[in-house]
Amino acid sequence: MDQNETLFQRARALIPGGVNSPVRAFRAVGGTPRFVQRAEGAYFWDANGKRHIDYIGSWGPMILGHGHPRVLEAVLQAARDGFSFGAPTEREVELAEAIVRHLPAVEMVRLVSSGTEAAMSALRLARGATGRSKIIKFEGCYHGHADALLVKAGSGLATFGHPTSAGVPAEVVQHTLVLEYNNIAQIEEAFATHGRDIACLMIEPIAGNMNFVRASVPFMQRCRELCTAHGALLVFDEVMTGFRVGLGGAQAHYAGLIPGFKPDLTVLGKVIGGGMPLAAFGGPRAIMEQLAPLGPVYQAGTLSGNPVATACGLATLEAISQPGFYEALAQRTRSLVEGLSNAARETGVAFSADCEGGMFGFFLLPALPQNYPAVMKSDAPKFGRLFHGLLDRGVYIAPALYEAGFVSSAHSAADIEETVAAAREVFRTLG
Ligand code: HOZ
């Protein structure tokens, strides 16, 4: 008996769709989700005991692979000292110090428990600090599931064809302007029309919820200029890219391409928690001091700055701050992307791929798309066949074509070779 199927049947009886987060249900690709029994390094074993090379890594956090010994030790030690206090701890201060040390745009930071919470709170702060209501977001970007941001969003909303969720009243999103990613004319027009009402422009600088789409440099530069000119805040959602595409996140990448570039607010999650529920948002002191208890913008949480999660995050940040870490990670990720691209070329499959640091994406399209409508041209049934072909061969990628992929420092050259060989076999069957 297939243990994954048995568990899925039990789960479906009690949990909507059998999962606690929609994309995991495999509905976009069909078949039975793999229930994870345990994981180590670059692999996890499913309920049937089958090993998979894991390119999801908990959707980004597991940058060191699963069960890194130093992180594990830190977590066990912290757990022995207590799970949760609802009172401040030294470790929260240390984690805040580590974040601020690596991100020049962040002078103060507040820790929360999920990316959704961080994005929602950053949005409230932007509105509170500017006294304005309107916000700009981009089609295909996903900033968690807070109401005001659930409009034309990527990730699971794109996967299931409901880009705007039911249950979100029109009045709640009346101030959300949704524009096309990488479209300079549209942001210029939006600021020309609504400039003095716009609190913030929120963006995934490298969008990982419509697979992997970079903001072009001229587009990013124009976003910055228009926000500055109109007194709106530029909010970088770096839940995926923070400490993932490099130690300084996507903001360091763009600062290397646009002199003096900085976002105003930064939203973080995933890697900063190392796999534990931990996220954060931060920015300049003057803005962050608008938060309660100093200022009028309210935000709170019982599990915020949780001692076990902060221990996990701190140990992770310490390991990834070692010299050469990102060079090696980026090199490994590039070798995956190049290997897949070569295999696709050899087998005549239309294919394009991109990566930055330990994050990658690929499309069954001849050229990299620049925005959500272009991503939508992907051949979903063909992707489903590729997904299952890889899964059968023990390679686990996201079960939806709108999601980015992640390589960890635990992935070896042999893992990449095995993956590329599996992909070559599957490509031959795609026709
Ligand atoms: N929102 C995540 C993908 N972008 C999925 C999270 C999950 O299923 O764990």
Side-chain angles (χ1 to χ4, degrees):
M1 183 65 184
D2 180 339
Q3 294 306 314
N4 293 304
E5 187 49 42
T6 306
L7 286 171
F8 195 34
Q9 278 174 21
R10 273 174 63 198
R12 269 182 307 196
L14 299 169
I15 303 171
V19 291
N20 286 309
S21 192
V23 181
R24 300 177 194 179
F26 273 33
R27 291 181 79 112
V29 289
T32 306
R34 298 307 185 255
F35 281 68
V36 178
Q37 206 169 56
R38 71 180 188 92
E40 194 181 320
Y43 316 118
F44 75 81
W45 286 262
D46 69 18
N48 293 331
K50 179 175 170 175
R51 191 200 82 166
H52 299 264
I53 305 177
D54 183 9
Y55 289 104
I56 299 187
S58 187
W59 303 90
M62 310 316 296
I63 194 165
L64 296 167
H66 298 283
H68 185 280
R70 285 207 298 278
V71 179
L72 192 56
E73 193 42 51
V75 167
L76 293 174
Q77 181 59 47
R80 278 186 211 107
D81 290 343
F83 295 173
S84 183
F85 312 121
T89 64
E90 183 174 1
R91 238 176 266 130
E92 292 166 79
V93 186
E94 287 174 355
L95 186 57
E97 285 166 351
I99 292 170
V100 167
R101 189 160 52 244
H102 295 302
L103 301 179
V106 176
E107 290 172 2
M108 293 187 101
V109 63
R110 169 132 315 160
L111 303 182
V112 294
S113 301
S114 75
T116 289
E117 214 187 321
M120 177 187 82
S121 305
L123 173 59
R124 183 179 307 137
L125 177 60
R127 283 173 158 163
T130 58
R132 299 170 177 187
S133 301
K134 290 203 186 306
I135 58 167
I136 290 178
K137 82 169 280 290
F138 296 95
E139 199 180 1
C141 284
Y142 175 72
H143 306 289
H145 57 90
D147 283 356
L149 296 165
L150 271 192
V151 198
K152 295 198 179 171
S155 191
L157 291 99
T159 305
F160 302 119
H162 302 292
T164 304
S165 172
V168 175
E171 309 82 68
V172 175
V173 290
Q174 65 180 318
H175 298 301
T176 306
L177 309 172
V178 186
L179 309 181
E180 192 174 271
Y181 201 74
N182 276 328
N183 187 326
I184 293 178
Q186 284 196 4
I187 48 170
E188 288 179 339
E189 193 187 323
F191 273 100
T193 314
H194 301 288
R196 67 169 68 121
D197 299 321
I198 296 175
C200 70
L201 178 156
M202 188 177 281
I203 185 167
E204 283 185 85
I206 298 174
N209 286 289
M210 49 173 156
N211 199 321
F212 184 106
V213 182
R214 290 170 190 270
S216 76
V217 173
F219 175 71
M220 188 57 84
Q221 186 159 8
R222 204 65 191 120
C223 286
R224 178 64 278 176
E225 286 166 359
L226 288 165
C227 282
T228 305
H230 292 272
L233 302 181
L234 177 60
V235 183
F236 257 34
D237 180 342
E238 294 228 49
V239 169
M240 263 192 205
T241 54
F243 295 99
R244 169 49 78 176
V245 299
L247 197 52
Q251 51 198 268
H253 173 74
Y254 284 97
L257 299 166
I258 306 168
F261 182 88
K262 255 189 204 177
D264 296 304
L265 294 179
T266 300
V267 181
L268 296 164
K270 300 197 189 272
V271 171
I272 59 160
M276 289 276 173
L278 198 155
F281 60 103
R285 183 171 302 275
I287 298 177
M288 292 302 288
E289 287 186 343
Q290 298 291 315
L291 281 174
L294 297 179
V297 179
Y298 198 72
Q299 186 281 326
T302 297
L303 297 176
S304 293
N306 175 270
V308 184
T310 45
C312 188
L314 261 178
T316 301
L317 290 197
E318 198 185 309
I320 64 181
S321 310
Q322 298 310 308
F325 177 85
Y326 283 96
E327 287 75 5
L329 181 68
Q331 200 279 330
R332 187 96 337 140
T333 312
R334 255 194 318 273
S335 71
L336 172 69
V337 162
E338 283 167 12
L340 293 175
S341 303
N342 291 338
R345 196 171 325 107
E346 285 158 32
T347 51
V349 171
F351 188 86
S352 51
D354 197 2
C355 63
E356 191 64 47
M359 179 172 166
F360 69 91
F362 65 77
F363 299 89
L364 295 173
L365 293 170
L368 288 171
Q370 298 302 304
N371 55 37
Y372 185 66
V375 172
M376 293 293 281
K377 296 205 170 85
S378 302
D379 183 336
K382 202 181 234 183
F383 174 81
R385 280 156 57 209
L386 173 61
F387 171 81
H388 278 292
L390 290 173
L391 191 65
D392 290 346
R393 290 164 177 80
V395 175
Y396 189 69
I397 60 168
L401 56 79
Y402 299 99
E403 307 290 343
F406 303 97
V407 172
S408 77
S409 57
H411 285 82
S412 65
D415 294 326
I416 304 292
E417 261 174 48
E418 188 179 328
T419 304
V420 171
R424 188 178 292 107
E425 278 180 24
V426 184
F427 283 154
R428 285 205 184 100
T429 68
L430 287 187

